[in-house]
Amino acid sequence: MAIDPRLVVTGFRPDGAAVIAGDTLVTPITARALPGQEMYLMWGSPDGGATVGPKAAPPVTLPFFAGAGGTRLLLVRFPPASSVPPPSPEERAEIDAEVEERLPGLMDVFEPGDTSGMHTTDTLDYGICLEGELWLELDSGDEVRLTPGACVVQQGTRHAWHNRAATPALMAFVGIGAEWAS
């Protein structure tokens, strides 16, 4: 049975007691540039660092990637590669505009004209496979198969995700905006 992403958020009453401030199913965002893929933008903190308490900053889920010190929590459901039809060249500009509107900043990390899916982000990412199986490919050619329970620490390396199985795969990601160390 597939997971239905649900977000439960705690908060504070005026007297300072903790309460459940929200409990809702999260609707996925889809875009023709990523056929069959579902992005669940769960939560995020502003660039510069998170705050907690009764006066904490509201959640920030866009742009897609956090800047230095910001965070993003998202779930991504990857369809099987065999179910992903390539877009026609005529549709490309319209498709790119749609993804920029729905998920600003996402396509900025991909190299123009490269169809490999390889990309690099200025984030430290923690990824956890929740359903199915997914392959992580690095630009060196190294690959690893992820199954439920596998955790990945992605440190700004050039990489791509591939679902080579017959069923969808669900990954949870926590992205932390980072600075490049030399």
Side-chain angles (χ1 to χ4, degrees):
M1 181 157 87
I3 292 172
D4 288 322
R6 176 177 159 211
L7 180 64
V8 177
V9 179
T10 63
F12 297 88
R13 287 194 320 223
D15 67 3
V19 296
I20 302 300
D23 184 348
T24 185
L25 291 175
V26 177
T27 302
I29 295 174
T30 60
R32 288 179 296 158
L34 308 162
Q37 198 167 90
E38 298 175 337
M39 304 255 187
Y40 297 85
L41 307 182
M42 305 298 284
W43 195 264
S45 63
D47 297 352
T51 57
V52 295
K55 295 181 182 180
V60 177
T61 58
L62 294 171
F64 193 82
F65 296 104
T71 65
R72 298 293 184 270
L73 169 62
L74 64 142
L75 278 74
V76 180
R77 185 166 278 125
F78 294 87
S82 61
S83 70
V84 180
S88 71
E90 300 82 36
E91 295 176 304
R92 187 81 256 161
E94 184 181 322
I95 287 171
D96 289 348
E98 177 194 58
V99 76
E100 183 58 28
E101 176 187 325
R102 293 182 184 184
L103 300 162
L106 174 60
M107 300 309 284
D108 296 348
V109 301
F110 294 92
E111 298 162 19
D114 182 4
T115 58
S116 70
M118 286 284 177
H119 60 285
T120 305
T121 63
D122 293 340
T123 57
L124 172 62
D125 299 326
Y126 303 133
I128 304 164
C129 183
L130 302 175
E131 290 178 346
E133 70 177 48
L134 201 63
W135 287 84
L136 169 61
E137 176 189 10
L138 302 179
D139 64 0
S140 65
D142 285 355
E143 292 187 331
V144 62
R145 179 176 164 255
L146 307 173
T147 56
C151 299
V152 174
V153 178
Q154 178 65 22
Q155 301 186 80
T157 56
R158 190 165 178 262
H159 66 286
W161 302 101
H162 306 287
N163 182 347
R164 297 177 181 147
T167 59
L170 182 66
M171 289 286 291
F173 294 100
V174 174
I176 304 166
E179 302 279 341
W180 278 93
S182 302

